[in-house]
Amino acid sequence: MSADPSAPVLRVAPSILSADFAVLGEAVAKVEPVVDWLHLDVMDGHFVPNLSLGPPVVSSLRERSGLFFDTHLMITDPDRYLEPFRDAGSDGCTVHVEVGNTEAHCAQMRDLGLRVGLAANPDTPFAAIEPYLGLVDMVLCMTVFPGFAGQSFIVDVLPKVRQVRRAVSAGGFDVDVEVDGGLDEHTVSGAAGSGANVFVAGSAVFGRSDPVAAVKGILAAARDASGSVMGGPS
Ligand code: DX5
Ligand code: ZN
C-alpha cells in the first residue's frame, strides 16, 4: 500500500505517569530513540482526584531530553500555570474544555509560543470542542476518565474521535487528534481506525519489561489500522 503524503503523522507519546519516578530520567532515555513526543500528566487534586507533577519535574527532564514535551494539564486553573510550564520546557500544553474560558486559554498558549491543545473527557460531546477547532493544534479525546493510569479503554469514545477527525478534515485544519487512556497494541486499532494520530500510552509502555518493543508494537498496530504513514524516529 502506498503512503498518503497528506495523512497525519502517527506517533506514540509515552506517558511518564506509569514510569518509576525514582529513575525518571533513565525511563525517558530508554524510549527516547523510538519516539519524538513525551506525554507529561499534570494533576491538581481538584480537577481530578490525584496529584502528579509540576514545573520542577518538567525542568529537570528538559535538561536530559530533546523530546517534544506534550503537557496534559488536568487542572482547574491552567491560566496560572501555562507560563511556568512553558518556562520549564513544555513545548505544547493541553487544557480541558470542561474548565471553561477556553478561548482565553487558547490565546494565552498561542501568545506564550506553546502548541495549543484542547482536551475533552469521555462524556463531553463533540459540540463542546467544535467551536475551537480553528484555534487549536491538537484535540485530545480522553478514552478514560482522567486521574489515573492503568484504566480500561472506553470504546464508546470512538464515534467522537471520528467526528473530530471528520470536522478537522472538512475544515482543512492542521490539527492532531490525540487519544489518551487505556491504549495498548490492541485498543490502538480502533482509535487509529477512527482517525486518531497521536496515541498516549502509560502502562502499556512503562509498565512493560521492554518499553521500546511496546512502543513499536503500538505504532505497528496503529499503522495497520489507519493504513497511514508513520512519523518520527523508528
Ligand atoms: C490519565 C492520564 C493518562 C494516563 C494514561 O489521567 O491522562 O495520560 O497516564 O495511562 P494509561 O495508558 O495507563 O491508561
Ligand atoms: Zn494524559
Side-chain angles (χ1 to χ4, degrees):
M1 189 187 314
S2 64
D4 172 1
S6 67
V9 172
L10 302 185
R11 45 169 57 94
V12 173
S15 162
I16 62 167
L17 201 56
S18 301
D20 181 348
F21 275 37
V23 286
L24 200 47
E26 290 166 33
V28 173
K30 211 174 268 181
V31 294
E32 186 136 3
V34 290
V35 298
D36 54 8
W37 281 29
L38 191 69
H39 187 81
L40 308 175
D41 284 307
V42 178
M43 304 181 181
D44 65 353
H46 189 250
F47 181 70
V48 290
N50 201 1
L51 294 164
S52 56
L53 56 92
V57 175
V58 176
S59 166
S60 296
L61 286 174
R62 186 75 290 168
E63 297 291 312
R64 289 165 166 252
S65 171
L67 296 175
F68 179 93
F69 283 178
D70 170 35
T71 311
H72 179 192
L73 300 178
M74 290 164 274
I75 65 178
T76 304
D77 298 314
D79 42 309
R80 291 171 61 193
Y81 299 101
L82 287 168
E83 190 165 359
F85 277 108
R86 193 278 312 268
D87 292 347
S90 290
D91 298 291
C93 281
T94 297
V95 302
H96 270 261
V97 71
E98 296 85 6
V99 303
N101 289 327
T102 300
E103 211 168 319
H105 293 149
C106 290
Q108 194 183 352
M109 286 187 272
R110 195 63 75 198
D111 287 350
L112 287 166
L114 288 161
R115 205 157 182 277
V116 178
L118 184 61
N121 282 340
D123 58 357
T124 297
F126 169 65
I129 314 162
E130 192 177 14
Y132 308 108
L133 289 180
L135 302 180
V136 304
D137 301 306
M138 183 169 80
V139 170
L140 165 53
C141 294
M142 291 302 300
T143 42
V144 298
F145 283 91
F148 302 91
Q151 303 181 77
S152 297
F153 182 77
I154 302 174
V155 72
D156 290 353
V157 176
L158 293 182
K160 181 169 64 185
V161 173
R162 232 169 268 129
Q163 281 178 303
V164 174
R165 173 55 71 197
R166 265 198 219 117
V168 162
S169 303
F173 300 117
D174 185 13
V175 169
D176 287 307
V177 181
E178 183 177 58
V179 281
D180 180 7
L183 282 146
D184 60 21
E185 63 274 40
H186 306 294
T187 55
V188 75
S189 303
S194 302
N197 69 295
V198 182
F199 310 98
V200 176
S203 31
V205 172
F206 290 116
R208 299 281 173 90
S209 56
D210 187 344
V212 168
V215 167
K216 289 181 174 172
I218 296 168
L219 204 46
R223 288 180 76 188
D224 283 350
S226 77
S228 188
V229 293
M230 182 177 74
S234 55

